[in-house]
Amino acid sequence: DVAARVGQCLRQLAKVAGVVVVVSHGSAIQLGLSHVLHVSPTQSPLGHVPHAAWSVVTPRLDGPWKLDAYGCGAP
């Protein structure tokens, strides 16, 4: 349920804004990204999101989004 809710929120934000910054708990953002990337949240290749890390995705209207960077910049 969390994957679908956060993923839907990410999709809505991408429709109304250019660049969006989302601050979230690691589990919620990992699940939301799994949703928009069309990967299983239970078998996600993304792995743990380190504290204070950032990721970059490129939204696509149809199909999975493009993952440009994941878990970067963590101390």
Side-chain angles (χ1 to χ4, degrees), residues 34-46:
S34 293
H35 190 265
V36 298
L37 295 169
H38 293 189
V39 297
S40 169
T42 58
Q43 298 176 351
S44 175
L46 298 178

Side-chain angles (χ1 to χ4, degrees), residues 41-70:
T42 58
Q43 298 176 351
S44 175
L46 298 178
H48 173 74
V49 178
H51 292 289
W54 51 270
S55 301
V56 178
V57 291
T58 301
R60 295 185 177 160
L61 297 177
D62 295 322
W65 289 14
K66 180 180 176 249
L67 181 63
D68 299 309
Y70 184 77

Side-chain angles (χ1 to χ4, degrees), residues 3-42:
R5 286 195 311 267
V6 175
Q8 181 60 29
C9 180
L10 294 172
R11 289 186 189 284
Q12 289 174 348
L13 288 170
K15 288 180 183 177
V16 297
V19 174
V20 177
V21 175
V22 176
V23 178
S24 172
H25 291 283
S27 295
I29 200 64
Q30 186 270 334
L31 290 167
L33 288 175
S34 293
H35 190 265
V36 298
L37 295 169
H38 293 189
V39 297
S40 169
T42 58

